[in-house]
Amino acid sequence: MRILVTGGAGYIGGHTCVVLAERGHQIVIADNFSNSSPLVLQRLSRLTHKVIASHRLDLRDRDALSSLLETYRFDAVMHFAASKAVGESCERPLDYYDNNVGGSAALLQAMNRAKVRRLVFSSSATVYGDPQRVPLDESAPLQPCNPYGRTKLMTEQMIGDLCAADPMFNAACLRYFNPVGAHPSGMIGEDPSGIPNNLMPYICQVAVGRHERLSIFGNDYPTVDGTGVRDYLHVLDLARAHADALEYLADTGRNLTVNLGTGRGVSVLELVRAFERASGREIPYDIVGRRPGDVAAMYADPSLAQAVLGWRAELDLEAMCRDAWHWQTTNPDGYRALERIRRIPG
Ligand code: NAD
Ligand code: WQD
């Protein structure tokens, strides 16, 4: 299939491009590089042995988007492009509604006009908010507790309304739990700008010496060791689920909303210990107060993904830590080092 990948230069979109190319799909990336480097594209071409077409484009630029959809006759769209920092979404909610909901509305409208009727959307487990019980299956109440989560739920609803209005339009909303890790080649990985908000990239930066110590946000939760429990899944397992979901849409013509996680809850301390084993580095840490908005435990019931897509996570915590560490040591400054090399004259 010929697939438009919005946000394809980003962390999850980039890994998914590799899997899609391996399965023989043709990819076109549209990204405004607001949270990624164009240099990722060279890495993607080297990894896939293919030239990946890409366009610098903001989804909210409706004219540019329409002409892109007119130029290529896409069979499907994978929609990753969004802003994703929970804290920032509380500080600048309107920017998040504009980019995530507005960008998605512009995309759906352009797809509708160009008669592109297959969509895989990056949703998030954050749509569940503070869970009443775990594991979470897809019927759990949808009560996001921050603007970012609400943008994801609103986009799911917008997609659902379009599917109801146009039975030819098929969509999969994939609710990711906590994606971590990197491609085992070490060529692409997560490259947060500034101080990382998320646990795994922060641990990696402590291990490589960019920060002295990890702050663990609370050890008084009702969990196995008092620290927060999450469902970490390898980004390559997640990428594979996108290709599976696309094939499901094409084969069945049905719609789908599904959790993507391992089903296994892992505490902050368990992740720290696993990372220490995989890297051979000690991760010094301090226990500090809880982070506002955090929940005690959140992990998936992934049985629907298994039943419907035949998908389940295959890569374990050791592989997640090993590949995250490999990416970090191969690229201690992320893609920024490549940008510096490019700027050296001659
Ligand atoms: P990312 O920031 O690495 O990738 C997003 C990409 O979209 C970036 O390359 C960015 O430049 C681009 N982008 C943003 N707004 C755009 C716009 N208006 N027009 C064009 N391009 C735009 O993030 P990621 O971690 O790869 O996340 C991908 C998707 O998955 C996002 O929708 C995110 O909300 C969702 N998600 C991520 C996580 C996670 O923990 N990483 C968890 C659940 C859901
Ligand atoms: C994991 C655990 C922290 C950092 C967020 C978003 C969610 C989704 C994924 C997009 C928690 C603890 C963290 C640190 C710590 N993104 N922690 N020290 O909060 O589960 O989910 O990213 O959709 O929407 O909310 O992930 O990696 O931030 O935190 O102790 O420096 O690690 O308290 O228990 P979270 P996280």
Side-chain angles (χ1 to χ4, degrees):
M1 281 186 246
R2 183 182 288 170
I3 304 166
L4 172 64
V5 183
T6 78
Y11 171 49
I12 304 168
H15 285 82
T16 304
C17 285
V18 174
V19 171
L20 292 173
E22 280 167 358
R23 293 207 191 172
H25 296 295
Q26 188 192 337
I27 296 150
V28 177
I29 290 175
D31 202 303
N32 65 1
F33 303 109
S34 55
N35 196 38
S36 54
S37 164
L39 295 170
V40 175
L41 303 168
Q42 296 171 12
R43 295 274 177 106
L44 291 178
S45 293
R46 272 171 62 196
L47 264 175
T48 59
H49 307 291
K50 287 180 183 155
V51 176
I52 308 237
S54 79
H55 296 262
R56 183 184 284 271
L57 181 150
D58 191 302
L59 290 185
R60 294 161 294 180
D61 181 346
R62 287 166 186 261
D63 292 341
L65 192 57
S66 288
S67 80
L68 185 74
L69 279 129
E70 276 161 26
T71 307
Y72 297 93
R73 296 166 79 86
F74 292 111
D75 301 295
V77 175
M78 293 228 174
H79 177 31
F80 296 93
S83 309
K84 64 166 182 177
V86 170
E88 191 180 60
S89 81
C90 298
E91 288 154 20
R92 299 196 281 114
L94 299 183
D95 290 344
Y96 271 66
Y97 288 109
D98 183 32
N99 199 35
N100 295 4
V101 182
S104 300
L107 176 67
L108 292 175
Q109 223 156 31
M111 288 176 70
N112 203 27
R113 231 176 275 123
K115 299 190 171 44
V116 182
R117 295 189 172 109
R118 224 171 259 145
L119 174 74
V120 178
F121 169 60
S122 299
S123 189
S124 169
T126 206
V127 296
Y128 297 116
D130 192 351
Q132 287 160 8
R133 60 191 158 83
V134 280
L136 279 152
D137 67 30
E138 291 78 0
S139 67
L142 301 173
Q143 297 163 335
C145 39
N146 54 62
Y148 166 72
R150 284 187 277 275
T151 69
K152 288 289 162 187
L153 182 55
M154 284 179 186
T155 306
E156 279 197 12
Q157 290 167 332
M158 202 158 52
I159 292 167
D161 287 341
L162 180 55
C163 290
D166 178 1
M168 299 283 284
F169 189 92
N170 289 150
C173 294
L174 307 183
R175 294 178 180 159
Y176 317 158
F177 279 67
N178 291 59
V180 296
H183 193 275
S185 64
M187 283 172 65
I188 55 171
E190 191 169 10
D191 183 21
S193 53
I195 297 171
N197 298 310
N198 298 116
L199 180 60
M200 182 66 105
Y202 202 100
I203 290 178
C204 286
Q205 293 193 4
V206 171
V208 87
R210 275 168 72 174
H211 306 289
E212 269 181 29
R213 305 172 77 77
L214 169 71
S215 294
I216 295 184
F217 301 140
N219 68 348
D220 56 353
Y221 286 107
T223 61
V224 59
D225 55 23
T227 64
V229 163
R230 297 292 184 272
D231 187 338
Y232 299 97
L233 86 155
H234 198 294
V235 66
L236 269 189
D237 275 331
L238 182 59
R240 185 167 49 81
H242 288 72
D244 294 344
L246 181 61
E247 281 158 25
Y248 173 85
L249 296 182
D251 291 348
T252 67
R254 295 208 189 105
N255 304 313
L256 176 69
T257 297
V258 72
N259 287 342
L260 295 174
T262 64
R264 184 177 164 219
V266 170
S267 77
V268 176
L269 281 171
E270 284 169 339
L271 185 64
V272 168
R273 301 288 175 237
F275 189 91
E276 288 181 332
R277 280 194 300 277
S279 65
R281 296 277 172 108
E282 192 199 342
I283 305 297
Y285 64 82
D286 301 309
I287 305 288
V288 302
R290 292 181 178 191
R291 182 171 65 177
D294 268 353
V295 303
M298 181 107 177
Y299 52 95
D301 173 347
S303 48
L304 184 66
Q306 164 94 60
V308 176
L309 300 177
W311 176 91
R312 69 186 178 86
E314 287 170 1
L315 296 163
D316 61 12
L317 199 58
E318 189 192 335
M320 299 177 213
C321 294
R322 186 191 58 225
D323 292 338
W325 176 234
H326 183 48
W327 155 252
Q328 184 68 58
T329 46
T330 325
N331 308 268
D333 293 322
Y335 298 107
R336 277 168 289 279
L338 291 176
E339 277 163 10
R340 277 198 299 276
I341 291 165
R342 204 172 60 151
R343 280 198 298 268
I344 295 171

